[in-house]
Each structure stands twice: as C-alpha cells, then as structure tokens.
Amino acid sequence: MALSDVKIRKAEIRDKPYKLTDGGGLFVLVKPNGSKLWQQKYRHLGKERLLSHGRYPDVTLAQARKKRDEARMQVANGDDPAVQKRLDQIEAETQSRTTFHLVAEEYLQMAYDRELADGTMRKKIWHVETLAAPLHNRPIKEITSAEILHLLKKVEASGRRETAKKLRGTLSGIFRLAVVTLRAENDPTYAIKGALLPVKVTNRAAITDEKVFGQFLRGLDVYTGAGVIKDALLFQILTMTRPGEVRGAKQSEFDLEQETWSIPAGRTKMRRDHIIPLSNQALVLAKRNWIDIEGVELIFPSLNSNRKWLSENAFNSAIRRMGYTKEEVTAHGFRATASTILNTRGYDPDVIEAALAHQDKNAIRRTYNRATYWERRLTLMQDWANFVDAFREDS
C-alpha cells in the first residue's frame, strides 16, 4: 500500500528499525531514535543494491518518489544509481573546491612556462595576488560579471585606468582557462568589455633637444652615485633599448668578437629575438662591467648581489638624483630621444624602427628588414654613439 504523509508522520517508534514501504523498491526506514530515512532497493547486474535518498521530512514524499523514478530509469539504462550518486557528489565537491585562486595559480604557472618577460610576470602576479584578492576563495563558476565590474571599477576609481584594463585581461585569461578545463561555463569579463573608461595615453617623458640632451649627458658624467648604474644608464642610451633589457643583460647574450648583443625573445616586449650591433663605446662599457667570476651572469648586477638584477627603479632614481623630474625625463624616454634626433637628422625611419626592435605589421616586410638593414644598422648605431659623445662635448 502506498504511503502518505500522515502515515509517515504518525509512524510509531519501536525498539528495532522497521520499514514502511511505498512501492517500486522505495521505503522509509524508521529507527529507534525516531529518525526516518528514505531508502530504495534495486537490482543491478543481478545483485541487490541499496540507495539512500535522505531524511524525512527534509526530503518530502513527492521528492523521494521522484528520486526513486530517476533511479529506476538509470537502472533501465544499464547504470548503477549508487555509483552515479557518488560520482555526482565527487563532482559537486570538486566544483566547490575549484576556487578562483586555484585556477589563477595554474594560469600563472602556464605563463611562467611560456617564459614571459620578468616584468610581465610580476604584473600578472600582482594582478592575481593583490588586486584580485577578493575573488580568491570564491568558486570560479559562481563569479559573475557584476562582481568583476565592481572590482575593476574600484581600481579605475583610484585613477589607474590602464591597470584596470590590464587586470581585466588577466582575469579573462584565468576564466578562459577555467572554461576549457570544464570548471566554468563562460568568461564573465566578456560582458563588461566596453564598461571601462578608455585609457589616457601619455607619452614617456623624454629629452628631444640635442643641446638639452648634451646637458643631461654631462650631468651623467659627473654623477656621483654607483658606477654600475651610471654605466648601465649610458649603455641603455647607446643601445636604444629598454631599461629592463639592460638590467637583465647576461654575459651569454654577448659575442664580444662579433661585437653584438642578442636579447632573447623572452626578455623583449615584442616576444622575438633582437640582435644589436654594439658601437665601440657600448662595447667598452660591456667589457668594463664584465665580472669574470663563476656563477655571475649579469653585466650590470645589483649593488647588493652580483647575482641579482638592479632594481626596477634604479635608473629613474639616478635620474631624479641628477635633478630631473619625471615630467622632464624617464629612462624609457631615451628610446624616444634617439628616434627623434636620428629622424630629424635624416636617417631612414625603417632602419631606426628596426634598431628600436619595433614590430613591423607586415610579416614579409619584417623578415626582409631584418636581413636587409643589418649593415645600415651597424652604421646607425656607431653614428648614434658618436653623436652622444658630440652632444656631451658641445658645451
């Protein structure tokens, strides 16, 4: 006889457990302590099995019958409901443990394995560990676009529009990883793609007047700070490279006989190898700072350890001590200094761009330029070094 809620509620308490059957293998097990548990008998592969459906009245009669019918359908399809229930529990537990931070750690490891530039890795780590901290313990599949927008708008409101934009890019990469590994259904950053304010584009402060640049060079000559920073800063100017590329310059990247410096793709902004012909003046600086000690790789190492890089602010700090403000000149701005002066003096813009390692959008032209401009770049780099000497002497 089928059960009813009244019959279940009024079931007497006995000294031993007993069953109230409902049909289709479903029954309520009434225990001596008064608890009433839904259970179901079924047969799978010739063996009798038992499946639990929860406690009455937490699971109602109607809900228990629905669970019974679903289990019977699974048996009819050749599946074992108890096994499937356990698999579902494991999946639920796995999803509850799949937090944003766990996926983010995998994302950072993949970025590290791709050998991204050190500066890029530091920013990504900062994005994840500091800016995205409010998301760390949230199950990643439950995070909404509204949560992401709230996080990004807080960063944007602090005046860091570019940081907000780049943080969105990092978050998008994490969610896309979660999607392809079946731990999230979508990327919630996609819906807010146009919700951030545009980035304010500001050029790096740079000296573009030859006489003013000569004054700076004379100031660098009498700079009383650490000699390694002074030489590294001048080496950056002569090679028209980025500060990070100079700070990470290793002996293994230099061919002193061929007078070249080969920066590997992993340390360049454009993610491709960049070979620089060294002028006589740049070669002197490299040799002067060469430390012939086993285990020392850096040309311009930190003041604290010859196995560590100079700090990220080393160059700009030296420039500030020389009396220049950040509105007047920055270390990144010396590339603009070289480009402006050389273009003004009539050098081929394509050769200058190749010397600066700027990426040509046309792949065929890019390959052609790398092969064709080498001899002209040799001349350009030596001419630029000679100009730097001349600017310094022109008082």
Side-chain angles (χ1 to χ4, degrees):
M1 182 176 178
L3 291 174
S4 66
D5 279 311
V6 173
K7 186 175 181 178
I8 299 171
R9 285 200 307 271
K10 293 186 175 181
E12 64 177 325
I13 306 300
R14 301 178 184 176
D15 292 338
K16 295 182 179 181
Y18 71 96
K19 302 174 184 177
L20 297 175
T21 59
D22 184 61
L26 182 66
F27 62 90
V28 173
L29 180 66
V30 183
K31 303 185 76 173
N33 63 4
S35 65
K36 300 165 184 176
L37 308 177
W38 287 111
Q39 294 188 336
Q40 178 182 352
K41 283 185 178 182
Y42 66 96
R43 297 189 72 83
H44 180 70
L45 299 178
K47 294 183 178 181
E48 187 175 276
R49 306 294 300 275
L50 189 65
L51 184 64
S52 297
H53 290 312
R55 184 187 302 271
Y56 178 89
D58 297 338
V59 176
T60 66
L61 175 59
Q63 290 171 334
R65 285 172 174 168
K66 182 179 180 181
K67 289 175 179 289
R68 173 198 63 194
D69 294 340
E70 290 173 350
R72 295 183 70 185
M73 184 64 71
Q74 289 175 332
V75 172
N77 291 332
D79 298 324
D80 187 336
V83 172
Q84 188 58 49
K85 180 180 180 181
R86 180 55 184 157
L87 291 176
D88 291 342
Q89 290 174 339
I90 292 171
E91 173 65 15
E93 291 170 3
T94 299
Q95 290 297 337
S96 68
R97 292 196 302 267
T98 304
T99 63
F100 171 87
H101 195 231
L102 288 175
V103 181
E105 287 180 330
E106 292 180 28
Y107 170 82
L108 291 176
Q109 183 60 51
M110 290 174 62
Y112 179 80
D113 292 341
R114 292 201 305 271
E115 298 183 349
L116 298 185
D118 290 341
T120 301
M121 280 304 306
R122 283 194 295 272
K123 287 180 181 177
K124 287 186 177 295
I125 292 171
W126 176 54
H127 290 165
V128 169
E129 300 298 341
T130 302
L131 299 183
L135 303 176
H136 280 186
N137 297 321
R138 296 273 289 117
I140 193 162
K141 69 183 304 181
E142 296 179 8
I143 297 175
T144 65
S145 298
E147 287 181 79
I148 300 297
L149 182 60
H150 177 71
L151 179 69
L152 296 178
K153 282 295 184 181
K154 285 183 66 176
V155 176
E156 184 182 81
S158 69
R160 297 175 291 175
R161 292 188 185 182
E162 184 174 4
T163 297
K165 180 180 178 181
K166 290 184 176 179
L167 173 58
R168 180 196 164 277
T170 298
L171 296 179
S172 179
I174 294 168
F175 282 108
R176 282 185 278 114
L177 173 61
V179 170
V180 299
T181 54
L182 305 181
R183 288 175 288 180
E185 297 177 359
N186 57 67
D187 174 7
T189 70
Y190 183 79
I192 58 176
K193 192 171 184 178
L196 298 176
L197 296 173
V199 176
K200 295 178 180 178
V201 179
T202 56
N203 294 324
R204 307 277 190 181
I207 299 172
T208 56
D209 180 272
E210 293 180 4
K211 289 189 176 295
V212 177
F213 186 43
Q215 293 172 356
F216 174 86
L217 293 168
R218 289 191 292 276
L220 183 60
D221 277 345
V222 298
Y223 174 67
T224 57
V228 65
I229 297 178
K230 177 178 176 179
D231 281 358
L233 191 53
L234 181 57
F235 186 81
Q236 185 212 333
I237 292 171
L238 293 173
T239 55
M240 302 193 299
T241 49
R242 297 176 176 85
E245 293 167 346
V246 173
R247 291 187 300 109
K250 298 178 180 179
Q251 295 178 4
S252 59
E253 298 170 358
F254 286 75
D255 187 328
L256 299 183
E257 291 186 4
Q258 296 297 320
E259 300 181 355
T260 59
W261 173 28
S262 301
I263 308 177
R267 294 208 306 105
T268 66
K269 184 177 181 180
M270 296 302 176
R271 310 260 70 74
R272 62 186 178 89
D273 297 342
H274 181 49
I275 303 176
I276 301 169
L278 296 174
S279 63
N280 295 332
Q281 294 89 328
L283 195 60
V284 167
L285 292 174
K287 290 180 177 179
R288 184 160 72 201
N289 288 274
W290 197 281
I291 303 175
D292 195 11
I293 298 176
E294 184 177 354
V296 176
E297 296 182 307
L298 297 171
I299 301 294
F300 305 104
S302 165
L303 303 178
N304 298 320
S305 170
N306 56 23
R307 288 168 172 78
K308 293 183 179 180
W309 287 29
L310 284 167
S311 73
E312 192 169 358
N313 294 320
F315 289 1
N316 282 328
S317 294
I319 293 171
R320 302 297 160 256
R321 286 195 291 271
M322 289 170 61
Y324 291 88
T325 67
K326 62 181 181 180
E327 288 75 29
E328 292 176 305
V329 63
T330 64
H332 275 92
F334 291 124
R335 287 163 55 80
T337 300
S339 177
T340 301
I341 292 175
L342 290 170
N343 273 287
T344 301
R345 284 178 171 261
Y347 284 82
D348 187 331
D350 288 338
V351 179
I352 297 171
E353 291 297 289
L356 292 168
H358 284 164
Q359 184 84 20
D360 194 309
K361 294 181 180 180
N362 185 300
I364 296 176
R365 225 172 85 97
R366 182 166 64 244
T367 302
Y368 174 81
N369 288 352
R370 290 183 69 182
T372 304
Y373 293 150
W374 180 253
E375 293 299 325
R376 296 171 67 182
R377 284 179 59 199
L378 287 170
T379 300
L380 176 76
M381 298 304 288
Q382 188 57 58
D383 285 354
W384 171 242
N386 293 340
F387 288 148
V388 168
D389 286 345
F391 297 152
R392 180 190 293 110
E393 295 169 2
D394 185 11
S395 57

